[in-house]
Every structure is written in C-alpha cells, then in structure tokens.
Amino acid sequence: MATDMQKLLVTSEDDDEEEMDMDVKEEDDEDEENSEKNAASQVMVGIDGEMTSSNSNNQFLHHQHMQEQVGSPGGGGGVRRSRPLEEKERTKLRERHRRAITARILAGLRRHGNYNLRVRADINDVIAALAREAGWVVLPDGTTFPSRSQGSRPVGGTSAAATSSSSPMLTQQAPSSSLRRVSPSYQTSAEYNSCRLKGVYVPSPSYDLPTTNDLQTSVMMGGGGEQTENHPLVGSTFNTINDKQISVIAPKLLERDFSGTPYVPVYVMLPLGVINMKCEVADPDGLLKQLRVLKSANADGVMVDCWWGIVEAHAPQEYNWSGYKRLFQMVRELKLKLQVVMSFHECGGNVGDDVCIPLPHWVAEIGRSNPDIFFTDREGRRNPECLSWGIDKERVLRGRTALEVYFDYMRSFRVEFDEFFHDGLISTVEVGLGPCGELRYPSCPVKHGWRYPGIGEFQCYDQYLLRSLRKTAEARGHPFWARGPENAGSYNSQPHETGFFIDGGDYDGYYGRFFLNWYSRVLVEHGNRVLSLAKLAFDSTQITAKVFTGGTRQQVMLLN
C-alpha cells in the first residue's frame, strides 16, 4: 500500500513546451508542486508507522487532510487534483506576454546600456545590474547594501539565509574595501554559491585580479573595532571558485576603486593653442606654472596636438618643430611624460575648439584650384576640415599622395625627436584619421547648417570617391549603381522622413546594401593604410587612434 501510494503521489503532469528562450516558470506551479511533494513524504511516513506515539494525532489529521486532496475513486488509485484547463491556458498566455516584455528589456539594456546580461537572464539579474551600476553591492544570496556603508552589511547569523536562497544573481563586488572586509557569513555564502554559478554568462575582464596573498582582510569585531589579519577562510573560499567565477566578482570593484589594481597613469591635455601659428610657445611662463602645478598633483604627463597646419604650413616638406622642441624640453625638465597627437585636420568650428588652425597654406592653394581634394556633399558643398580619402593614392598634392604626405610628416617628427623616444619621454603617439582626429566621415558639419539630432548627409560626391564608386559598381556588374542615394534626406532630416533610412527602406535593398558596404569599406581601408604607415614611422612605440561609434568616441590602442 505504501509503495503504491508513493508512486501515485510522485507522478506529475508533463511540462508545457516553452515558446521563448527564457527558462521561467510560474511561481504558483512551483509552490503547488513543492507542497504536494512535502505532503506526500509526510503521508508515507505515517503509513509506514515510523512516527512516534506523541505525534500520532497530528499524523492522523494530516493523513486525513491528504486524503481529501488525493482521492481514491472507485477504490482504485488516487488522482492528482489539477487546475481547470482554462486557468492553465490563461496562465500560459500571461507567462508568454511577460517573457516577451522581459526579452525586450534585456535586449535594450544590452544594446544601449552595455549590460553583460546572460541569454536566460531574469528580472533578478536586471535589478542586480542596475543596483551595481548605482554603486551598491549585491551578494549572491540577494543581500544588497551601499558600497560605502559597511554598517548595513549583514554579519553573524545570516549565513542560513544565504544557503536557502535560490536567486541566481551574479556576484560582483564594489570597492576593494568591501573585498578586504569580509564577514564569515559572506565567506559561507561565497563557498555555497560557487557551485551555482556554472553556465552563467561571464564577461572577460581586461585587468589582473589580486592574488590570494593580497587578500589581507579586516574582520569586523564585536565591539566595533577592527583587527587586521590574514583570515584563513578567505584563502579557502577563493580557492574553491574557478577563474570564471572570480572574474564575475571583480568588475565593479576595479572600475570604481583602483587602490588594489596596477598603477593607472594620468595625462592632462594641454590647450589646443599652446603652440601658435608661428610654431612658438604662446605663453612660456604661464605654461611653466601650469606644468609645475600638474607635477605637484602627481600627474604623469601631458598630451599635446602636433598640428600639420602649423609645422608644414608654408611649403611641402618644410617642417618647423621649434615650438614643440621648447615645449618638450620644459616637460622633460619637470620629469613629466608626453602623449603626442599627429593632427592632420583643421581646428576650429567644432565642439571644444577655442582656436583656429587651418590646414597648411599650400594645401589650401591646391584646394582652390582642385576643390575635389575635400569631402563634398550631394549639393556640392566642400568641407575643408580634412582631406578626402579619395586622394589617399592620388598624386594631387604637389606630386605626392595624401598617404605619402602623412607618412613624411610622421617620419620627420620621429627623426626630429629621436632622443625623446629613446629616453621614454614620449610614451604614446595618437594618429589622426579624419575630422577631429577621428575615424569617421564629416557627415554633420555645423558650418553647413547641421543641428542635433539630424542624420547628416553622405560625403562621397568628390570626383575621386565617385570614381571609386563607379569602379566598384562596374566590377559588380551594375554600373547604374555608381551614384549616391537620392532619397537620403538632408542634414537635419529624421530617419522616418527619408525613403532610404525609413524602416524597410532602400538601405535594405540590393543597391542600399551595396552602397553602404562600399561607403564603410572606404572608411576602414583609410584607417588601415594610415595606421600601417604610422607603425613603420613609430617602430616600438605605442600607437592609438580615436574611433567614433554611435555618438561616442573611443580610443583604440595599437601595440607595435
């Protein structure tokens, strides 16, 4: 009888097939199943006669209650009580709707907020990620407290809550002070949850974690004092966690507090007009005072633009580095370091520009007779902010291509300041790749009437880029594609106002994909060519470049 009853009570209905990627169950189903399993185990104990006599009355009442829930129609086997079919269908519909909303929330956080959320994340992961971004500490069991307020942190007898928690939140510590003040309850929680974090999406850290020997902990004392010691539980706790789990613990810790990380150098950018158009230090005495202030503040060095329009201003391959020589000497006397920028663009007219430094005069003269060396929009308006990438391989600059002009300039700088490279004074060279020194098209020029948040215009209508487009279209067998889009709007248009960028517009057609592929490929190839030449000119020196991505500017580091 006991065996038949046990088989009867442990059977369950087949699980409904999930239609979404997220593995979430309804809470009432779990509660019902858990209660039935607990009740079944208690009934079996009563039937086998294993309860003591003092509890016989309670067992009889409980057994009677279970028989009300589990009937025996016709003297046969019992039947599990189930919810009505309509209620189960409504529950499934609500669950599908909730999963769809959660999926959209997760997709938006990953795309626009750079949140590292796993594929099957749930609302607990979202809340934990938002709390950590706000500066809170979220433990594996869901305990949350301010990172700077250790008084609100649970101590002592809270380990039981950690062992009974089923929340799958990821472990990410906040400041290093939180890691170095570990309570015994958290150690138990970390050991317990170390086996539950397997299979969770973990972002790869870009820094070195402190070793076990560095984990000098300050254990909280009962009287409010602190005692610094090497706590034995910390080493054992972190030894039980594998590398992927440790990488989850530290991102916010090292992002907000660098006290436990390798040294982070600090460079301060000098004013854009620190060197005037005569290639002289504009204010030597004032600059020297500012550099001394930076030195007293323990700054590592300064960053300065080396303007093409100043150094090679009057004639091709006639370089004047006198002002930069004096500036670099002042920096060396104060034992600071330098990050230099090879600026091949115009300064002035952009956000943050407080001086005007045009392209070299001899380049401007060529532009007056051949304006196609500059980027051009659909209406034929030129942008002299930088040279068009269409002349990278065209000998239109007094017998040289644009790439040759860039390389000669960088090589002249390397030869002129050879001693500063050997002494390690120049630590990094940033190479300008376009307008504002960034690898992007000048698609949103204020001088042409652009205002945020306009979409801008394509800048591919000079004769050299149009020639490249025509050759590419002919190679594809579609010479009539050798044109720019005619329905892409103007500088201040919105995407939905254009036939090209509207949802399902021409950008997604055969011609649209061809044009955008060519347009982006020209940009990438220009960056590859210039950086390859920079690698030749600045051998064994760290090279960086600025890349404009979706409204943000990022500095990309390239190591020779």
Side-chain angles (χ1 to χ4, degrees):
M1 177 66 181
T3 304
D4 295 337
M5 197 66 177
Q6 184 177 9
K7 291 181 179 180
L8 172 65
L9 294 175
V10 297
T11 58
S12 61
E13 297 179 354
D14 295 336
D15 295 331
D16 295 320
E17 194 174 21
E18 291 187 345
E19 296 182 8
M20 301 290 293
D21 290 332
M22 304 188 63
D23 187 17
V24 184
K25 291 185 178 180
E26 194 70 10
E27 295 179 358
D28 55 352
D29 291 340
E30 294 180 354
D31 295 339
E32 182 182 0
E33 184 179 354
N34 293 334
S35 63
E36 290 177 357
K37 288 183 178 179
N38 294 334
S41 61
Q42 294 178 5
V43 170
M44 294 310 303
V45 170
I47 293 176
D48 292 338
E50 296 179 358
M51 295 190 64
T52 60
S53 60
S54 61
N55 296 330
S56 60
N57 293 333
N58 294 335
Q59 171 60 27
F60 175 78
L61 294 176
H62 187 75
H63 180 67
Q64 183 178 7
H65 176 69
M66 283 302 302
Q67 286 187 349
E68 293 177 359
Q69 295 184 6
V70 183
S72 302
V79 178
R80 176 183 174 182
R81 187 188 66 175
S82 61
R83 293 174 299 166
L85 182 60
E86 295 180 356
E87 182 181 351
K88 296 173 70 174
E89 290 297 330
R90 288 196 299 269
T91 300
K92 288 196 291 184
L93 289 177
R94 288 196 303 269
E95 182 64 19
R96 293 192 189 102
H97 181 64
R98 186 182 66 80
R99 292 175 193 168
I101 295 176
T102 305
R104 295 190 187 99
I105 294 174
L106 295 177
L109 289 175
R110 293 190 194 99
R111 180 177 179 182
H112 304 292
N114 294 326
Y115 286 91
N116 289 319
L117 296 172
R118 57 196 178 98
V119 175
R120 294 178 178 269
D122 58 14
I123 194 63
N124 288 338
D125 297 323
V126 176
I127 295 174
L130 296 176
R132 293 188 188 101
E133 186 182 33
W136 293 69
V137 178
V138 181
L139 298 186
D141 63 343
T143 303
T144 305
F145 53 88
S147 60
R148 298 297 182 184
S149 176
Q150 301 294 337
S152 60
R153 187 173 185 168
V155 292
T158 60
S159 59
T163 58
S164 62
S165 172
S166 61
S167 174
M169 293 184 181
L170 302 180
T171 305
Q172 288 187 357
Q173 293 287 2
S176 60
S177 60
S178 301
L179 180 62
R180 295 169 185 243
R181 188 172 293 179
V182 182
S183 64
S185 63
Y186 174 63
Q187 295 155 8
T188 304
S189 174
E191 286 183 329
Y192 176 78
N193 286 277
S194 64
C195 62
R196 297 168 51 212
L197 292 176
K198 295 181 180 179
V200 177
Y201 171 75
V202 179
S204 300
S206 58
Y207 44 77
D208 296 328
L209 290 170
T211 61
T212 306
N213 296 332
D214 296 334
L215 296 176
Q216 304 268 334
T217 62
S218 299
V219 181
M220 299 299 296
M221 307 301 293
E226 295 184 0
Q227 178 180 354
T228 303
E229 62 178 359
N230 293 331
H231 202 282
L233 292 180
V234 175
S236 61
T237 297
F238 280 87
N239 288 335
T240 60
I241 304 177
N242 57 36
D243 295 338
K244 288 187 177 181
Q245 294 158 0
I246 292 178
S247 67
V248 180
I249 293 176
K252 290 297 180 183
L253 166 88
L254 299 182
E255 176 183 340
R256 299 179 182 276
D257 189 345
F258 291 97
S259 60
T261 66
Y263 183 74
V264 178
V266 176
Y267 287 79
V268 179
M269 185 173 181
L270 294 180
L272 299 176
V274 65
I275 304 295
N276 60 26
M277 292 301 298
K278 297 180 181 179
C279 202
E280 300 173 347
V281 179
D283 183 10
D285 296 334
L287 177 62
L288 186 59
K289 293 179 181 179
Q290 293 175 354
L291 292 177
R292 287 173 177 168
V293 171
L294 294 178
K295 181 63 178 179
S296 64
N298 294 325
D300 293 89
V302 295
M303 186 177 189
V304 60
D305 288 88
C306 295
W307 295 102
W308 180 35
I310 294 178
V311 177
E312 197 181 359
H314 303 291
Q317 295 182 285
E318 291 185 6
Y319 307 103
N320 179 12
W321 299 102
S322 58
Y324 290 100
K325 282 184 179 179
R326 185 175 181 184
L327 171 62
F328 290 4
Q329 188 62 37
M330 294 168 63
V331 173
R332 176 159 61 180
E333 291 174 357
L334 292 174
K335 296 182 179 181
L336 294 171
K337 290 189 176 182
L338 278 164
Q339 289 183 346
V340 295
V341 183
M342 302 287 101
S343 298
F344 298 109
H345 61 281
E346 176 188 74
C347 180
N350 289 306
V351 177
D353 292 349
D354 54 0
V355 296
C356 181
I357 303 175
L359 297 183
H361 299 310
W362 61 273
V363 174
E365 293 178 359
I366 296 175
R368 282 191 285 269
S369 60
N370 182 14
D372 286 294
I373 66 173
F374 302 122
F375 283 103
T376 309
D377 62 16
R378 186 163 53 93
E379 290 77 18
R381 289 172 290 193
R382 314 290 181 172
N383 190 334
E385 188 175 353
C386 61
L387 296 179
S388 169
W389 302 331
I391 64 171
D392 278 356
K393 298 182 178 181
E394 299 289 340
R395 296 189 177 279
V396 295
L397 301 176
R398 304 285 177 86
R400 293 187 297 168
T401 66
L403 292 176
E404 291 173 345
V405 170
Y406 301 147
F407 178 72
D408 291 343
Y409 180 85
M410 292 186 288
R411 183 174 57 182
S412 173
F413 177 84
R414 179 63 179 81
V415 172
E416 193 71 28
F417 297 100
D418 181 69
E419 58 178 319
F420 293 94
F421 281 95
H422 282 296
D423 295 342
L425 179 70
I426 299 176
S427 61
T428 305
V429 176
E430 181 181 309
V431 182
L433 299 176
C436 294
E438 303 162 359
L439 183 59
R440 64 175 176 87
Y441 285 94
S443 302
C444 304
V446 176
K447 65 184 69 175
H448 292 166
W450 173 84
R451 295 293 182 270
Y452 178 84
I455 61 175
E457 290 191 16
F458 291 111
Q459 305 289 318
C460 60
Y461 293 91
D462 61 83
Q463 62 169 320
Y464 302 105
L465 286 179
L466 287 177
R467 183 188 305 168
S468 171
L469 177 60
R470 183 172 61 255
K471 290 181 180 179
T472 306
E474 291 175 351
R476 285 288 301 271
H478 300 285
F480 52 91
W481 283 354
R483 56 179 175 81
E486 299 176 354
N487 56 351
S490 59
Y491 284 109
N492 294 309
S493 298
Q494 297 298 309
H496 64 274
E497 299 172 350
T498 69
F500 189 80
F501 291 110
I502 193 173
D503 189 16
D506 291 348
Y507 79 93
D508 198 26
Y510 289 111
Y511 162 73
R513 288 196 292 267
F514 161 79
F515 175 79
L516 293 177
N517 178 70
W518 168 82
Y519 195 69
S520 59
R521 183 169 52 81
V522 170
L523 177 143
V524 173
E525 289 179 351
H526 169 76
N528 286 337
R529 295 189 192 108
V530 177
L531 291 176
S532 297
L533 295 176
K535 185 175 181 180
L536 293 176
F538 304 110
D539 187 24
S540 302
T541 303
Q542 181 175 279
I543 299 174
T544 64
K546 283 195 298 184
V547 178
F548 185 83
T549 57
T552 60
R553 293 166 175 82
Q554 312 221 2
Q555 191 176 48
V556 180
M557 184 177 297
L558 307 169
L559 297 178
N560 274 340

